[in-house]
Structures are given as structure tokens and as C-alpha cells.
């Protein structure tokens, strides 16, 4: 959706033109805007494919009933009858993604935030287990028949590792996965919010304001979420801020028996980041590869 059409959308919904429009950096396949309309600010998410938002409204409603501070849905149209993209208009939550706030947070603030996020995951995890694994709308069957299939899928889109060291790391991750494969059948299809990492967790002055972006959830092992959070922290702000992950692990109750699985999942996420973010510079590459190598070594040693 172009900005001129976005202006029409705002006028159609609120009866007045927007006073400010800012395109937001995150969005994956969606194009997202922060829009000022008189004395309020809203988030407009647009997507050429209506199916991308087909269950978002229902997901948000369920999560809000569970007490999660998810945004209120103001308006939606997935018909493409008026505009050339499906859209959602949501209330705006003040603050910034955690990636921009973490460096300024005290350890106590990180502890409080981690406790809150783990509490959200526990509530979501109390919902009925899925009949399949992987990414789906709340209450729908995941597309995979096993948790191993989901984990392996994170490695399947690698096109080309560009150096011998990267290629060696890629092989070691697959080897570690095969070594620990016997653990995968025991993983229940627990519902968890997979993308509440350094983004989608909205913080202001060190205090949680809300959580966003719920087009889908994941069914499987919630440790996958903690592992992705660790990987994103190293990618976005550096290892010094893994104190937040330590707080997540403490609050979740990660024990020695699950630490190896957590390391394996982290190595898998590092592998995916390294394979799909070739535009990053050598400093980032060295940081991620060193961290990933350490994780896969721990996963292998723990399984021995």
C-alpha cells in the first residue's frame, strides 16, 4: 500500500487525514506504518496477501483474554475490495522494541521483564497442546508431524556458506542435531510465542509496555524461544547483554538436563542468521560465528 492510499484508508476509518506517517523497519512480508491521527497514534499493518492476517484478530483476542498486554484491534479489512492490500489498524503501544532499550536497562529491570515474559509464556503454554508442530494460528494444527521436522526446517533454506569456517560450522550443527535427535520425540506440542525476542517486546524506560505481532504462534519446545532471544541479543547488541537471557533461564527454570537442548537450539538459530544475513559486516559475522561455535560445542559435549 502506497502512502497516498494509506492516507485514504485513514480518512475512511477516522474521517480525517493523518498528521504524520512513519514507515517502520520491521515487518517481514508486511508493510507497517506508525500513524498520527489528531491526538492518537495507531499502527497500520498492510499485506498484499489477506491470508497473512487471517487469524491475527482471533489470536489477539485470545491473548488479551489471557491477560497479555497485546494491542487492541481497531479496524481490519482482508477483502481487498476497497484497497489493494489487506490491513489491520491497531492501537499503538508507547515505547520501543527491546533491542533498542536493553543496553540502558538495569539487571533488576531485566529480571522483572524476564519474569513477566515467562509468565506470559506459561499462560499460553496452558492452552491445549497442538495436534501438530510448528507455526500456526492459536488453536490450529501445526503443519509438521514432529518437533525435529520444525528444527530441521530452520536449516533447510541455507543457500551457500561462503567460507570453510562457515561450512564447518554448518556441518557441526547438523551433526549435533543428529546426536541429540533421540530427545525430539519426547517434546510435546506446547503452545508458545516464538517471536517475543529483541523485537515485539515493547519497553519504555526499562518497563514493559506491551507485546505485539501475533499472526501465528508455535507448537513445540518453548526453549526454542529462549534460544532465539539469545541469538537475537548477540546479533543486535552483543554478548554482554545475555544477562537478560540468564534471567529468562532462571525464571523458566532451565536445568542441566535441558541446557544441552537450549545450546543446540541456539546453534540452529545462529546457523540461520549466518545463512540469511550476508549483508552484515565482518565484525557481526565473527561475533555470531564465535558464539554459534561455542553453543554447538556445548551441545555435543553435553550429549557425550
Amino acid at each position: 500500500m502506497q502512502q497516498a492510499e494509506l492516507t485514504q484508508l485513514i480518512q475512511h476509518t477516522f474521517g480525517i487525514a493523518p498528521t504524520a506517517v512513519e514507515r517502520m523497519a520491521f515487518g517481514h512480508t508486511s508493510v507497517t506504518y506508525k500513524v498520527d491521527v489528531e491526538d492518537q497514534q495507531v499502527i497500520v499493518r498492510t499485506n498484499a496477501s489477506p491470508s497473512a492476517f487471517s487469524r491475527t484478530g482471533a489470536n489477539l483476542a485470545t491473548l488479551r483474554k489471557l491477560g497479555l498486554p497485546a494491542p487492541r484491534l481497531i479496524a481490519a479489512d482482508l477483502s481487498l475490495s476497497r484497497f489493494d492490500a489487506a490491513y489491520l489498524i491497531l492501537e499503538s503501544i508507547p515505547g520501543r522494541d527491546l533491542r533498542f532499550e536493553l543496553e540502558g536497562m538495569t539487571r533488576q529491570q531485566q529480571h522483572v521483564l524476564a519474569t513477566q515474559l515467562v509468565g506470559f509464556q506459561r499462560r499460553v503454554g496452558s492452552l491445549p497442546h497442538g495436534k501438530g508442530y510448528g507455526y500456526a494460528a492459536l488453536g490450529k494444527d501445526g503443519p509438521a508431524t514432529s518437533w525435529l521436522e520444525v528444527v530441521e526446517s530452520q536449516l533447510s533454506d541455507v543457500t551457500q556458506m561462503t567460507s570453510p569456517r562457515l561450512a564447518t560450522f554448518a556441518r557441526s550443527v547438523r551433526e549435533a542435531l543428529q546426536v541429540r535427535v533421540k530427545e525430539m520425540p519426547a517434546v510435546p506440542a506446547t503452545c508458545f510465542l516464538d517471536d517475543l525476542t529483541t523485537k515485539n517486546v515493547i519497553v519504555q524506560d526499562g518497563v514493559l509496555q506491551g507485546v505485539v505481532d501475533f499472526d501465528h504462534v508455535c507448537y513445540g519446545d518453548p526453549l526454542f524461544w529462549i534460544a532465539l532471544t539469545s541469538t537475537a541479543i548477540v546479533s543486535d547488541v552483543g554478548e554482554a547483554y545475555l544477562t537478560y537471557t540468564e534471567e529468562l533461564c532462571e525464571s523458566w527454570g532451565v536445568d542441566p538436563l535441558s541446557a544441552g537442548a537450549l545450546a543446540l537450539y541456539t546453534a540452529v538459530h545462529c546457523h540461520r542468521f549466518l545463512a540469511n544475513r550476508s549483508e552484515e559486516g565482518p565484525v557481526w559475522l565473527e561475533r555470531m560465528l564465535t558464539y554459534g561455535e561455542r553453543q554447538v560445542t556445548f551441545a555435543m559435549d553435553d550429549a557425550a
Side-chain angles (χ1 to χ4, degrees):
M1 182 179 291
Q2 300 299 315
Q3 190 160 327
E5 201 170 30
L6 180 69
T7 298
Q8 294 177 20
L9 167 58
I10 295 300
Q11 286 185 306
H12 168 72
T13 304
F14 296 98
I16 54 174
T19 54
V21 175
E22 175 190 351
R23 180 167 176 173
M24 303 180 72
F26 287 130
H28 299 296
T29 60
S30 300
V31 178
T32 303
Y33 299 92
K34 185 180 293 185
V35 180
D36 291 340
V37 188
E38 283 194 330
D39 59 348
Q40 69 174 314
Q41 189 174 78
V42 298
I43 300 298
V44 181
R45 300 184 63 207
T46 69
N47 198 300
S49 174
S51 62
F53 298 148
S54 62
R55 296 290 299 176
T56 305
N59 290 346
L60 286 169
T62 298
L63 294 174
R64 284 173 63 86
K65 285 181 181 178
L66 288 173
L68 273 67
R72 180 175 59 88
L73 181 63
I74 297 170
D77 186 354
L78 311 187
S79 69
L80 304 183
S81 60
R82 183 180 293 272
F83 301 101
D84 64 0
Y87 67 83
L88 306 173
I89 301 178
L90 303 140
E91 65 177 345
S92 178
I93 297 173
R96 301 189 298 174
D97 285 301
L98 177 60
R99 63 178 295 194
F100 301 114
E101 294 283 317
L102 188 55
E103 293 178 81
M105 292 175 65
T106 67
R107 185 65 182 254
Q108 178 59 23
Q109 287 173 328
Q110 292 176 34
H111 169 77
V112 172
L113 179 63
T115 301
Q116 290 172 307
L117 267 291
V118 166
F120 298 161
Q121 297 285 16
R122 295 293 190 196
R123 290 181 217 174
V124 173
S126 69
L127 295 171
H129 284 181
K131 295 180 180 178
Y133 293 84
Y135 305 97
L138 271 167
K140 299 297 181 180
D141 294 340
T145 58
S146 70
W147 178 237
L148 175 62
E149 184 182 338
V150 178
V151 177
E152 285 182 326
S153 72
Q154 302 299 300
L155 308 177
S156 63
D157 58 355
V158 174
T159 54
Q160 183 69 43
M161 287 298 193
T162 56
S163 76
R165 185 179 170 194
L166 281 167
T168 298
F169 173 65
R171 286 194 299 271
S172 69
V173 174
R174 292 184 179 277
E175 289 169 4
L177 187 56
Q178 290 308 308
V179 167
R180 304 193 71 98
V181 69
K182 63 182 181 295
E183 302 171 3
M184 300 298 179
V187 172
T190 302
C191 184
F192 66 96
L193 306 174
D194 59 289
D195 213 16
L196 294 185
T197 58
T198 57
K199 57 187 178 70
N200 302 326
V201 176
I202 309 302
V203 175
Q204 188 173 62
D205 298 326
V207 178
L208 177 69
Q209 303 298 309
V211 288
V212 300
D213 197 0
F214 299 110
D215 298 332
H216 64 254
V217 297
C218 191
Y219 288 90
D221 189 347
L223 287 181
F224 211 56
W225 154 67
I226 296 179
L228 179 56
T229 302
S230 295
T231 307
I233 287 172
V234 175
S235 174
D236 292 343
V237 293
E239 285 194 50
Y241 298 95
L242 287 174
T243 49
Y244 173 64
T245 302
E246 292 172 9
E247 294 293 345
L248 287 176
C249 289
E250 178 69 22
S251 184
W252 188 264
V254 177
D255 58 37
L257 294 178
S258 54
L262 180 61
L264 173 63
Y265 295 156
T266 305
V268 167
H269 289 307
C270 285
H271 181 287
R272 181 167 59 87
F273 275 45
L274 286 162
N276 296 314
R277 295 177 64 171
S278 58
E279 75 281 359
E280 302 285 355
V283 173
W284 179 88
L285 178 65
E286 176 64 25
R287 182 168 76 240
M288 293 300 294
L289 188 50
T290 299
Y291 182 62
E293 288 169 338
R294 195 160 67 247
Q295 297 301 310
V296 77
T297 297
F298 181 86
M300 292 286 280
D301 290 347
D302 181 73

